[in-house]
Amino acid sequence: MLSSNKYEEEFPALKRKINGHRLVYLDNAATTLRPKRVMEAVSEYSLNHHANVHRSTHTLASEATQMYESSRQKLADFINAKKEEIIFTKGTTESINLLAYSLAISNMIQPGEEILITTMEHHSNFVPWQQIGKLFNIKIKYFPVKKGIFEPDDYFNYITSKTKVISITGISNVTGQVIPINLIVEKARKIRNNVIIIVDGAQYIPHFSVDVKSLDIDFLAFSGHKMLGPTGIGVLYGKKEYLEQMSPFLFGGEMIDKVSMEDTTFTILPFKFEAGTPNVDGSVGLAKAVELLQQIGMNNINQHDKMLTKYALEKMKNLDFLEIYGPQDEFQSSIVSFNMKGIHPHDVAHLLNDIAGVAIRSGHHCAQPMMNELGVKATCRVSFYVYNQKDDIDILIYGLKKVWEWLK
Amino acid sequence: MLSSNKYEEEFPALKRKINGHRLVYLDNAATTLRPKRVMEAVSEYSLNHHANVHRSTHTLASEATQMYESSRQKLADFINAKKEEIIFTKGTTESINLLAYSLAISNMIQPGEEILITTMEHHSNFVPWQQIGKLFNIKIKYFPVKKGIFEPDDYFNYITSKTKVISITGISNVTGQVIPINLIVEKARKIRNNVIIIVDGAQYIPHFSVDVKSLDIDFLAFSGHKMLGPTGIGVLYGKKEYLEQMSPFLFGGEMIDKVSMEDTTFTILPFKFEAGTPNVDGSVGLAKAVELLQQIGMNNINQHDKMLTKYALEKMKNLDFLEIYGPQDEFQSSIVSFNMKGIHPHDVAHLLNDIAGVAIRSGHHCAQPMMNELGVKATCRVSFYVYNQKDDIDILIYGLKKVWEWLK
Amino acid sequence: MVKIGIEDLYSDIILDYAKNNKYKKEIPASQKAEGKNLSCGDEITIFLKVDNGKIVEASYLGHGCIISQASAAMMCEIIEGKTVEEAEKILNEVIKMSQGKEYDNDLIDGLEVFSDISKFPMRIKCFTLSWHTLEEAINNQD
Amino acid sequence: MVKIGIEDLYSDIILDYAKNNKYKKEIPASQKAEGKNLSCGDEITIFLKVDNGKIVEASYLGHGCIISQASAAMMCEIIEGKTVEEAEKILNEVIKMSQGKEYDNDLIDGLEVFSDISKFPMRIKCFTLSWHTLEEAINNQD
Ligand SMILES: Cc1ncc(COP(=O)(O)O)c(C=O)c1O
Ligand SMILES: Cc1ncc(COP(=O)(O)O)c(C=O)c1O
């Protein structure tokens, strides 16, 4: 890890005062703070090298193309994929919509086959399947994550020879439960070897080192803005064999072989899935963010998350006015959801902010089916990242006590 | 207009040397150079105010939400739309795909009704209609832009009572021909009052002041990166009445009213069409770019474009080794396409860059049907914007002569 | 600009209103409307008993944060006994107040405690939920 | 690093090869393959007459920029008379050269004029188009 004063230098927002208090940013599962070097890289590209990529032959176009493609290479290396298996999207949500639409219009799901999702998913890994299922008449099966805790053994009962696609998050964005993806891949492939396994990595990738090849998943979606990168950029990783079979989703410039009035033939990977002028600014920023993560070390990040989560859970369990959700064991990573008894989460979040400078999230976290499983309308959620320290949690605890005093 | 040394200060790329020559950037129809103030605004947001929008109540989230929504307001004012009629997308290509998919899945095109496009369109306003037409069995009619010149009177013959949707570019990205949208709206509405009129504004919006209400178009798509803004951000304007009728295209967070295992209900405009964490960085940059355009004045920009185009056409017509495409009259704006006799456009573009520092585009410009109409495989294209001056064109002419000397 | 503290928003008066259940009930056979705050899922139902153009009784049901609950309770208190027309005038001023625009102080006597809600942009919707729903309830007469 | 000028890329030798029509023809009843440069739409067809593992004749057809045309012509000149195996070795070295990697100079005698193509990233594909197509043509034997 970097030392904590290094983080202050790198993340200007950490120096902000909120109502006179130092900002304690604990809303990292929503989005992370931005490091200076990421914006310096984006500005350098943007002001001195920007041009449209892949087409023109002039110097700026050549530089822009190389920067864009080397960003792709960096992302590929980060998850051990091939370069042409990395599709830049605007984020996890687009990545999963791309997949859902493309699998449907490519007729890769035969009549009688099913798509399996769970009730712990973020809306982005739930609603696309549900709606595209309706639209294209594909059966969606929902695994109920009872009481909000994912039980692998129950889940495996839902996988059958009819299951063509599995889409599941790597970490619950509500409880922080870490899902044993490797176990799921192993069991699922025993039941049906060619089941298509999709991992929603929005929460997973920022915290764990992932090797898509050894993990043997087929698709992986994640967002730049949850891993120190800019908004508007994300990734869909897909196994080449599948991407080659699939029809494009968005149609337009840059992804075309030949267009005639009769029909259009599409070009090679990954461009087939990147219609329109890509977000080069974003790709450069995300590559720089990945560089920083690698410098800190994914294993260090993981250890640091674990340490903070453990510390937070210990301290929070001592507050008897809190109800805490999730496994509360070593399989909970960097996220803690809770409620203050009888108090609406919005009030808790607002007061924490103003009393103690602590930024947390309140609401349904775009996971209403999961709220139903927990039997609540909304929760408070704290979530940690590299720049958080134990004293951030101490301030959280102090703030929670103050809020309780005030509102109880 | 700003004075030319102001532009040099504002656009750092203008100070670059290309092979020892001052950069003469004439590839503006592909993408424009980026002003410093845009990146300063993006960095300020990104480093000091970034958070996820719309959900959390903490200070950063509140600031980010306000910056995002005030960017939307700025874009709405820019084209005289209502705020909820502005949907942020990643660019023109996504805007048009959203429209094509959503109109299809909302069943807004009845059996027997047609969508009318033209052969001068950029692939982004051609292939989505063609492919979604195939997918959903909707008839697409193609108006042939013979010899690459759009003739309104011929076009009107293609509009009938069966025409449900018209999608057309405001300016040809190949020839620079300005299409008389107001005339088209008037005539089309006489033939069928409730025809849905879509304008591809990717080339139009950067150069003309547009009032969507008085123009009475139904949808308008454009990209930030062609009007001094960042990549990865664009706009779909849509009339509220239509947007309300339409089903969402992308599904995910931020656009949901209620999700249950049975179904999902979608929320209000514009969020219904903005699934996932939006590109707040991009929206802030685009709003700043619009501010700069307004400061320069859209009418000044338009006059300046006209002046440069006229000057360029005069000078280029004198070079008998060039073949120039397009109307070559006052209805040609800021773009000139041409070929050097017997020489491949790539060679011309590459040599111009290295000999004279002139950046132009060579290729099919993502407009293969238009290339067919012109009877060529590819062209060279120069295109102008606010920071270009007459002496840029003088250098272009000098460079063209040198290239011809070398390769003829 | 006067600095507005969180103490003003979570004042004793507001906390009292939020906990006060006097107006938290259903009025049978009344004009009603449901409102929802999409950003947090909070829901509210407003009931109005209107007699001869006059709001003789007002109440609400639903769950929500302190701001939304207090706002609903105060609203009911203020509009009870007013004519529909008067209530609409108050509504207009309240919305203006919530947007940080100028408004007529005299008309919204009793709502001073929320006069600075516009300084808390993420909470404006919590405050206005009951008022927007009131508007619908008024329109829902049959 | 030696500065590579545009004069080296558009040298007289290369211009001559681009204009030379000696290899620009169809060879009937030969192994052939079509290649396409997606970034500009340029197309090329390579024809090979192979006899007993030896390329006795090579030619190309198609349109393209000077770099792609000169590259095709030089390629045909070099591989004519070589065995298929030798041609494949040359091909390997040429691709390495185009990527700016180390390569065996001796093997690609005659292609020095393109030795710095890797410094022009947007033109590498123009140069390699005919070579990639050659690979396919070799594989297309039936
Ligand atoms: C007329 C026209 N339409 C659409 C586009 C596509 O825009 P984008 O690549 O930003 O999606 C372009 C630009 O390339 C264009 O010139
Ligand atoms: C598990 C999970 N999936 C998907 C998403 C959606 O990501 P984005 O909003 O960046 O598209 C999120 C984040 O909000 C998430 O936590």
Side-chain angles (χ1 to χ4, degrees):
Chain A
M1 303 297 291
L2 306 183
S3 65
S4 62
N5 63 346
K6 278 244 173 103
Y7 285 112
E8 271 205 13
E9 271 318 305
E10 192 63 55
F11 294 86
L14 290 175
K15 290 189 176 157
R16 286 205 48 182
K17 291 269 176 272
I18 305 297
N19 222 3
H21 310 280
R22 151 171 102 72
L23 169 65
V24 174
Y25 186 76
L26 300 180
D27 194 16
N28 292 287
T31 197
T32 51
L33 299 177
R34 208 71 62 69
K36 257 198 270 187
R37 71 182 75 184
V38 165
M39 294 321 290
E40 280 160 9
V42 173
S43 289
E44 170 62 18
Y45 161 75
S46 182
L47 297 177
N48 294 315
H49 309 281
H50 169 61
N52 215 322
V53 293
H54 295 305
R55 298 289 180 182
S56 303
T57 56
H58 57 77
T59 302
L60 291 186
S62 165
E63 291 170 358
T65 303
Q66 285 176 80
M67 289 170 87
Y68 183 58
E69 291 306 323
S70 78
S71 299
R72 194 194 306 280
Q73 185 66 57
K74 176 139 271 159
L75 271 293
D77 294 344
F78 184 55
I79 58 169
N80 194 28
K82 300 192 194 103
K83 194 162 166 262
E84 64 269 30
E85 295 176 324
I86 299 293
I87 298 159
F88 280 122
T89 63
K90 56 181 179 174
T92 307
T93 303
E94 191 194 355
S95 294
I96 295 175
N97 277 273
L98 185 165
L99 263 178
Y101 273 100
S102 179
L103 290 174
I105 65 186
S106 312
N107 292 318
M108 284 173 68
I109 297 141
Q110 301 304 315
E113 293 184 326
E114 302 165 344
I115 294 174
L116 176 62
I117 59 176
T118 84
T119 56
M120 86 184 141
E121 304 307 318
H122 186 280
H123 290 164
S124 292
N125 194 27
F126 189 96
V127 187
W129 301 111
Q130 181 189 54
Q131 295 298 312
I132 274 126
K134 272 176 60 180
L135 203 56
F136 292 90
N137 215 355
I138 297 166
K139 177 149 186 229
I140 311 298
K141 223 160 84 175
Y142 302 91
F143 170 68
V145 176
K146 297 220 181 87
K147 300 200 172 125
I149 307 280
F150 177 82
E151 297 286 359
D153 286 339
D154 296 345
Y155 180 67
F156 296 136
N157 291 330
Y158 275 69
I159 307 176
T160 71
S161 59
K162 285 198 263 172
T163 312
K164 183 58 185 280
V165 176
I166 281 176
S167 190
I168 190 164
T169 188
I171 295 186
S172 159
N173 74 312
V174 174
T175 63
Q177 185 179 5
V178 182
I179 307 304
I181 297 296
N182 47 359
L183 189 67
I184 290 175
V185 173
E186 195 188 302
K187 293 273 186 163
R189 296 228 183 277
K190 275 193 191 134
I191 299 166
R192 180 173 181 172
N193 185 41
N194 69 345
V195 59
I196 296 174
I197 300 174
I198 301 168
V199 174
D200 172 353
Q203 298 295 342
Y204 195 73
I205 295 300
H207 297 277
F208 285 82
S209 153
V210 167
D211 175 333
V212 290
K213 291 289 176 272
S214 74
L215 200 54
D216 192 22
I217 55 178
D218 300 303
F219 294 96
L220 173 68
F222 56 100
S223 301
H225 71 93
K226 293 191 201 278
M227 48 194 284
L228 310 184
T231 54
I233 188 83
V235 168
L236 175 64
Y237 155 79
K239 264 191 197 154
K240 201 175 164 185
E241 305 84 87
Y242 283 120
L243 292 177
E244 277 171 347
Q245 283 175 57
M246 287 159 59
S247 305
F249 163 52
L250 296 181
F251 305 100
E254 309 269 359
M255 46 82 78
I256 298 289
D257 177 358
K258 190 172 195 144
V259 177
S260 70
M261 266 151 80
E262 291 72 44
D263 205 357
T264 298
T265 52
F266 299 104
T267 179
I268 45 171
L269 292 176
F271 311 110
K272 185 167 92 174
F273 291 102
E274 291 185 354
T277 303
N279 185 356
V280 187
D281 290 76
S283 78
V284 168
L286 178 52
K288 189 48 110 182
V290 164
E291 211 174 278
L292 178 54
L293 293 179
Q294 287 172 325
Q295 186 183 324
I296 302 171
M298 290 311 291
N299 287 332
N300 291 331
I301 292 175
N302 195 243
Q303 288 310 310
H304 184 70
D305 285 346
K306 271 212 171 117
M307 181 273 289
L308 290 176
T309 311
K310 186 157 174 265
Y311 185 72
L313 278 171
E314 271 167 27
K315 295 271 173 177
M316 291 171 77
K317 279 180 187 171
N318 285 335
L319 305 180
D320 58 7
F321 52 85
L322 296 188
E323 182 169 3
I324 302 175
Y325 310 103
Q328 301 173 54
D329 58 16
E330 74 269 36
F331 299 110
Q332 181 166 342
S333 166
S334 66
I335 291 174
V336 182
S337 260
F338 63 95
N339 265 319
M340 196 175 275
K341 285 176 184 160
I343 315 285
H344 193 283
H346 268 19
D347 294 317
V348 177
H350 192 170
L351 283 171
L352 271 181
N353 181 73
D354 286 31
I355 291 174
V358 180
I360 72 162
R361 173 85 172 260
S362 55
H364 54 54
H365 316 295
C366 299
Q368 288 178 3
M370 183 65 156
M371 293 294 112
N372 291 342
E373 299 288 5
L374 292 172
V376 297
K377 287 270 176 189
T379 74
C380 299
R381 181 183 72 183
V382 294
S383 50
F384 316 116
Y385 210 37
V386 289
Y387 31 71
N388 291 124
Q389 308 294 339
K390 277 186 175 176
D391 60 354
D392 292 345
I393 292 165
D394 295 336
I395 295 171
L396 166 70
I397 300 295
Y398 157 86
L400 287 170
K401 286 179 183 161
K402 288 273 258 188
V403 172
W404 177 243
E405 279 309 309
W406 195 335
L407 297 185
K408 74 176 173 194
Chain B
M1 302 297 290
L2 306 182
S3 65
S4 62
N5 63 345
K6 279 242 173 106
Y7 284 111
E8 271 205 12
E9 271 319 304
E10 191 63 54
F11 295 85
L14 289 176
K15 290 188 176 159
R16 285 205 48 182
K17 291 267 176 275
I18 304 297
N19 222 1
H21 309 278
R22 154 171 100 73
L23 168 65
V24 174
Y25 186 76
L26 300 180
D27 194 16
N28 293 287
T31 197
T32 51
L33 299 177
R34 207 70 62 70
K36 256 199 266 186
R37 71 181 75 184
V38 165
M39 294 321 290
E40 281 160 8
V42 173
S43 289
E44 170 61 18
Y45 161 75
S46 181
L47 297 176
N48 294 314
H49 310 281
H50 170 61
N52 216 321
V53 293
H54 295 306
R55 298 288 179 182
S56 304
T57 55
H58 57 76
T59 302
L60 291 186
S62 165
E63 290 171 356
T65 303
Q66 285 177 80
M67 288 171 88
Y68 184 56
E69 291 305 324
S70 78
S71 299
R72 195 194 304 281
Q73 185 66 58
K74 177 139 268 157
L75 270 294
D77 295 344
F78 185 55
I79 59 169
N80 193 30
K82 300 192 194 102
K83 194 163 166 264
E84 65 268 30
E85 295 176 324
I86 300 293
I87 298 159
F88 280 123
T89 63
K90 57 181 179 174
T92 308
T93 302
E94 190 194 356
S95 294
I96 295 174
N97 276 273
L98 185 166
L99 263 178
Y101 273 100
S102 179
L103 290 174
I105 65 186
S106 313
N107 292 317
M108 285 173 67
I109 297 141
Q110 302 304 316
E113 293 184 326
E114 303 165 343
I115 294 174
L116 175 62
I117 59 176
T118 84
T119 56
M120 86 184 141
E121 304 306 318
H122 186 280
H123 291 165
S124 291
N125 193 28
F126 190 96
V127 188
W129 301 111
Q130 181 189 55
Q131 295 297 312
I132 274 123
K134 271 177 59 180
L135 204 56
F136 292 90
N137 214 357
I138 298 166
K139 179 154 185 222
I140 312 298
K141 223 159 85 176
Y142 302 91
F143 170 68
V145 176
K146 297 220 182 87
K147 297 197 174 130
I149 307 280
F150 177 83
E151 297 286 359
D153 287 339
D154 296 346
Y155 180 66
F156 297 135
N157 292 330
Y158 275 69
I159 307 176
T160 70
S161 58
K162 286 197 263 172
T163 311
K164 182 59 184 280
V165 176
I166 282 175
S167 191
I168 189 163
T169 188
I171 295 184
S172 159
N173 75 312
V174 173
T175 64
Q177 185 179 4
V178 182
I179 307 305
I181 297 297
N182 47 0
L183 189 66
I184 289 175
V185 174
E186 193 188 305
K187 292 271 187 165
R189 296 230 184 275
K190 275 195 191 132
I191 299 166
R192 179 171 182 173
N193 185 42
N194 69 345
V195 59
I196 296 174
I197 300 173
I198 300 168
V199 174
D200 172 354
Q203 297 296 339
Y204 195 72
I205 294 298
H207 296 277
F208 286 82
S209 154
V210 167
D211 175 333
V212 290
K213 290 292 176 268
S214 74
L215 201 54
D216 192 23
I217 55 178
D218 300 303
F219 294 97
L220 173 69
F222 56 99
S223 300
H225 71 93
K226 292 191 202 277
M227 48 195 284
L228 310 184
T231 54
I233 188 82
V235 168
L236 175 64
Y237 156 79
K239 265 191 197 154
K240 203 175 163 185
E241 305 85 86
Y242 282 120
L243 292 178
E244 278 171 347
Q245 282 176 56
M246 286 159 61
S247 305
F249 164 52
L250 296 181
F251 306 99
E254 310 267 359
M255 45 82 76
I256 298 289
D257 177 358
K258 190 169 195 145
V259 177
S260 71
M261 265 152 82
E262 292 70 46
D263 204 357
T264 298
T265 52
F266 298 103
T267 182
I268 45 172
L269 292 176
F271 310 110
K272 185 167 91 174
F273 292 102
E274 290 185 355
T277 303
N279 185 356
V280 187
D281 290 77
S283 77
V284 168
L286 178 52
K288 190 50 107 182
V290 163
E291 211 175 278
L292 178 53
L293 293 179
Q294 287 173 325
Q295 186 183 326
I296 302 172
M298 290 311 291
N299 286 332
N300 290 332
I301 292 174
N302 194 243
Q303 288 309 310
H304 184 70
D305 285 345
K306 271 210 171 119
M307 182 273 290
L308 289 176
T309 310
K310 188 157 174 263
Y311 186 72
L313 279 171
E314 272 167 26
K315 295 270 173 178
M316 291 172 76
K317 279 180 187 171
N318 284 336
L319 304 180
D320 59 7
F321 51 84
L322 297 188
E323 182 169 3
I324 303 175
Y325 310 102
Q328 300 174 54
D329 57 18
E330 74 269 38
F331 299 110
Q332 182 166 342
S333 166
S334 66
I335 291 173
V336 183
S337 259
F338 62 95
N339 264 320
M340 195 174 275
K341 285 176 183 160
I343 315 286
H344 192 283
H346 268 18
D347 295 316
V348 177
H350 192 171
L351 283 171
L352 270 182
N353 182 73
D354 286 32
I355 291 175
V358 180
I360 72 163
R361 174 83 171 260
S362 55
H364 55 54
H365 316 295
C366 298
Q368 287 178 4
M370 183 64 157
M371 293 295 114
N372 291 342
E373 299 288 4
L374 291 172
V376 297
K377 287 271 177 190
T379 73
C380 299
R381 180 184 72 182
V382 295
S383 49
F384 315 117
Y385 209 37
V386 288
Y387 32 70
N388 291 124
Q389 307 294 339
K390 276 186 174 175
D391 60 353
D392 292 345
I393 291 165
D394 295 337
I395 294 171
L396 166 71
I397 299 296
Y398 157 87
L400 286 170
K401 286 178 181 163
K402 288 273 261 187
V403 173
W404 177 245
E405 277 312 306
W406 195 335
L407 298 184
K408 74 178 174 194
Chain C
M1 208 170 71
V2 188
K3 196 159 157 20
I4 307 307
I6 190 77
E7 304 76 21
D8 302 315
L9 194 59
Y10 285 89
S11 63
D12 287 343
I13 305 181
I14 289 180
L15 293 186
D16 283 349
Y17 270 102
K19 284 180 186 160
N20 179 342
N21 283 333
K22 187 173 161 200
Y23 298 96
K24 202 159 183 177
K25 61 184 174 201
E26 191 175 336
I27 308 175
S30 56
Q31 282 173 232
K32 66 173 180 176
E34 286 168 25
K36 186 159 182 176
N37 187 342
L38 291 174
S39 75
C40 60
D42 288 352
E43 285 164 10
I44 203 160
T45 311
I46 302 290
F47 302 90
L48 296 181
K49 198 176 190 89
V50 180
D51 188 16
N52 219 340
K54 195 168 162 182
I55 300 171
V56 291
E57 206 184 346
S59 73
Y60 72 99
L61 274 184
H63 66 272
C65 62
I66 286 169
I67 309 303
S68 76
Q69 299 295 296
S71 170
M74 291 175 100
M75 182 186 81
C76 293
E77 186 175 274
I78 285 178
I79 61 170
E80 263 193 16
K82 299 276 192 311
T83 65
V84 168
E85 224 169 280
E86 284 165 339
E88 280 174 330
K89 270 191 197 144
I90 297 172
L91 169 68
N92 270 335
E93 297 308 305
V94 165
I95 299 301
K96 279 193 228 161
M97 177 179 85
S98 75
Q99 295 167 336
K101 295 181 184 159
E102 278 195 32
Y103 61 95
D104 185 342
N105 223 334
D106 297 342
L107 269 176
I108 58 170
D109 191 30
L111 282 171
E112 303 82 39
V113 286
F114 279 122
S115 61
D116 285 306
I117 189 70
S118 67
K119 309 276 161 51
F120 298 95
M122 303 307 277
R123 304 310 295 279
I124 294 171
K125 282 184 184 167
C126 310
F127 168 69
T128 54
L129 178 61
S130 53
W131 292 92
H132 285 304
T133 312
L134 168 67
E135 194 173 6
E136 284 209 27
I138 287 175
N139 295 332
N140 278 351
Q141 78 189 97
D142 37 21
Chain D
M1 205 172 71
V2 188
K3 197 159 157 20
I4 306 307
I6 190 76
E7 305 75 22
D8 301 314
L9 193 59
Y10 286 88
S11 64
D12 286 343
I13 304 182
I14 288 180
L15 294 186
D16 283 349
Y17 270 101
K19 285 181 187 158
N20 180 342
N21 283 333
K22 187 173 161 201
Y23 297 97
K24 201 160 184 175
K25 61 182 176 200
E26 190 174 337
I27 308 174
S30 57
Q31 281 174 234
K32 67 174 178 173
E34 285 168 28
K36 186 160 182 177
N37 187 342
L38 290 174
S39 76
C40 59
D42 287 352
E43 285 164 10
I44 202 162
T45 310
I46 302 289
F47 303 90
L48 296 181
K49 198 177 191 89
V50 180
D51 189 16
N52 220 339
K54 195 168 162 181
I55 299 171
V56 291
E57 206 183 346
S59 73
Y60 72 99
L61 275 183
H63 65 271
C65 62
I66 286 168
I67 308 303
S68 76
Q69 299 295 296
S71 171
M74 290 174 100
M75 182 185 82
C76 291
E77 185 175 275
I78 285 179
I79 62 170
E80 262 192 17
K82 300 275 193 309
T83 66
V84 169
E85 224 169 281
E86 286 165 339
E88 280 173 332
K89 270 191 196 147
I90 296 172
L91 170 67
N92 270 335
E93 298 307 306
V94 165
I95 299 300
K96 280 192 228 161
M97 176 179 85
S98 75
Q99 296 167 335
K101 295 180 183 159
E102 278 196 31
Y103 60 94
D104 185 342
N105 223 335
D106 295 343
L107 269 177
I108 58 170
D109 191 30
L111 282 172
E112 303 83 39
V113 286
F114 280 120
S115 62
D116 285 306
I117 189 70
S118 67
K119 309 277 162 51
F120 299 93
M122 303 306 278
R123 306 307 297 277
I124 295 171
K125 283 183 183 166
C126 309
F127 168 69
T128 54
L129 177 61
S130 53
W131 290 92
H132 285 303
T133 312
L134 168 66
E135 195 172 6
E136 285 209 28
I138 287 175
N139 294 333
N140 278 351
Q141 79 188 97
D142 39 22

